[in-house]
Amino acid sequence: MKKQLRVILISIAVFSACGDSNSQNNNPVEAKPTSGIPAMHIEKIKLNQVGFLPSDTKIAVVPSSQATTFLLVNANDGSQVFTGQLSASQHWAPAKDEVSIADFSSVTAPGEYRIKVSGFADSNIVTINNDAFLAAHDAALKAYYFNRASSELLSKHAGIWSRPSGHADDNVLIHTSAASAQRPEGTAISAPKGWYDAGDYNKYIVNSGISVYTLLVAYEHHPEFYQNRDIGIPESTDSSPDILDEIKWNLDWMMAMQDPNDGGVYHKLTTLNFSGAVMPSQGTAQRYVVQKGTAASLNFAASLAVASRIYQAFPQFADVASEYRHAAELAWQWAQDNPNVAYVQPKDVSTGGYGDQVFLDEFSWAAAELFLLTADAQYLQQFKQLNVMPSIPGWSNSAALGYISLLNNGKTILSNDDYRQFLERYLALADNIVNLHQQSAYAVAMQNSDFVWGSNAVALNKAFVLLQAQRFTQNEKYKTAATGLLDYVLGRNPTDYSYLTGFGEKTPVDIHHRPSHADNVVAPVPGFVAGGAQSGQQDGCSYPSKLPASSYVDDWCSYSTNEVTINWNAPLVYVLAGLHTTQ
Ligand code: G3I
Ligand code: 9MR
């Protein structure tokens, strides 16, 4: 049913585009001229389909052709608003694409426009508006609510995606791999709530750590923006910001993943195998907590330390904030005593691995957060001794996160020398991204090696990194490159998809998300970022291209490009809030 609709929607998109933008051949191709009608290029003009802020850099990518100029016209009456020169054509390796850039940044008047280039179909709508990101932001944040475990979603909050509760998780068994003297195999514990990780229904601490962190700092850096944002969740009527209420849903679960007897943290709460494509309430197989580990314990320590720092400012959360602090310190201690316990997937478990063998980055991150929380100089000492350099964040790479926290919060407690050194290292990372942006034919800081499973989150995490550099230096070059990466995810990419469900003229319909697939509602749950293009094709689906930035298919079968995940949405939430508030 859903698939049929997808085919119809795609056919309409293809028809209106006068061609198939998913074509394996990424070179501009001319359709056979029919008498009297000029030849049209099959490739499309690509741009952010959600919107631009008036002060944004505004760019569209135009496939190479004879054309040298472009027009921006009013979408309603066709009147001409702006004429510009196309840049010289350049090659973009990730899609083997030859393209020019149409830069219409000087147009700042709010409105709806289209770009016209001779020989091409008119572009999708160009929206310029001060509030262009708000609906997308709220939906990207609300996606977490839609992925709540142990909760019924009422129609007054969830609309057509309302559903019964699933996974109470009040009778979770200790798996053999997690057995201890106090909690032998088969002991039942209760660990309800939390967010489903992704398109599957399991809950993984490592991936929760970075997701919670990114959302927490979205709040911390933009408190006024979040003070009165109402995203329509059950807690919206209380006095605390919705984003903190939503994050707390997951923190409540995370807290139950710590063994109170020793402070160690279980890697995941999971069924033995992935469930079928059923609704949450139909996923009734036994759930287990599996193996304690160093990565899980440190992710837990770091993110609970950040949570304690932030929630302690709210009287209603004073008690939980001190519980978070205590839990973070215990988990850190466990990791000190067990510094090298890698997650090893037990033979009878086949769900997501999130196996990480390198813990220096997690130690570094947790040390930074515990220093900021406790002001205990020993933690800073450890951070400095570890000497881990910042890099693009991801579920297995938290090296940058400690730097981000220290540079945002540490100015008054770090020595000038330390602060300067940390900033220098951080800006070296951000400047590399800016260089890539400036050299890119698409004006997008993405290269072949960035197209891994979850490539859209690589783009968004780079934008997240850049917006910090912007905060520290006020240098607009960081924001420009961040905007390019956001534009990439929202449509300025070779597939021509806005990868955010529900937002854009061409957007994923058949995401690898069990509720979206099983709910008999045609539209997918809105506000989720699809993983994005990458050429691994680990799921064996059929793809239109093998090129890194074109290997994507909007099909349930494609869990390697079309799944959604909590850690991929979080940087989108941050970036939309950051760009909106700094315009
Ligand atoms: O680390 C290597 C790197 O050295 C190499 O250059 C690169 C080349 O492709 O591969 C890197 O490993 C990749 C790894 O992610 C780290 O990025 C693997 O190929 C890739 O298969 C692996 O994908 C992970 C995937 O699970 C499969 O394990 C994704 O990062 C991860 O986001 C995804 O997570 C799943 C959960 O397990 C279950 N829930 C859904 C979630 C999203 O699909
Ligand atoms: O649905 C699963 C998805 O959440 C995971 O990211 C993915 C990789 O671990 O695996 C998916 O499950 C597939 C399983 O691995 C193989 N059989 C088909 C399943 C999807 O229908």
Side-chain angles (χ1 to χ4, degrees), residues 197-202 204 274-277 350-354 453 512-514 538-539 556-557 559-560 563-565 568:
D197 182 57
D200 65 324
Y201 291 137
N202 304 302
Y204 308 79
F274 286 116
S275 76
S350 66
T351 53
Y354 288 122
W453 191 313
H512 192 86
H513 179 240
R514 283 169 172 71
Q538 292 88 337
D539 40 47
W556 156 261
C557 123
Y559 51 79
S560 74
E563 188 163 6
V564 303
T565 300
W568 301 340

Side-chain angles (χ1 to χ4, degrees), residues 531-560:
Q534 59 109 1
S535 49
Q537 305 189 355
Q538 292 88 337
D539 40 47
C541 305
S542 66
Y543 287 86
S545 169
K546 284 197 163 71
L547 296 172
S550 309
S551 173
Y552 166 79
V553 64
D554 176 22
D555 193 313
W556 156 261
C557 123
S558 177
Y559 51 79
S560 74

Side-chain angles (χ1 to χ4, degrees), residues 84-130:
Q85 291 290 318
L86 292 170
S87 71
S89 161
Q90 268 190 288
H91 180 74
W92 197 53
K96 294 199 171 153
D97 234 354
E98 308 295 327
V99 294
S100 296
I101 281 181
D103 187 333
F104 52 101
S105 303
S106 59
V107 179
T108 57
E112 295 200 327
Y113 309 92
R114 285 187 197 274
I115 291 172
K116 282 179 175 286
V117 177
S118 167
F120 292 90
D122 290 357
S123 75
N124 288 327
I125 297 263
V126 176
T127 304
I128 301 179
N129 196 308
N130 289 94

Side-chain angles (χ1 to χ4, degrees), residues 346-358:
K347 287 211 160 47
D348 59 340
V349 178
S350 66
T351 53
Y354 288 122
D356 183 3
Q357 316 292 322
V358 180

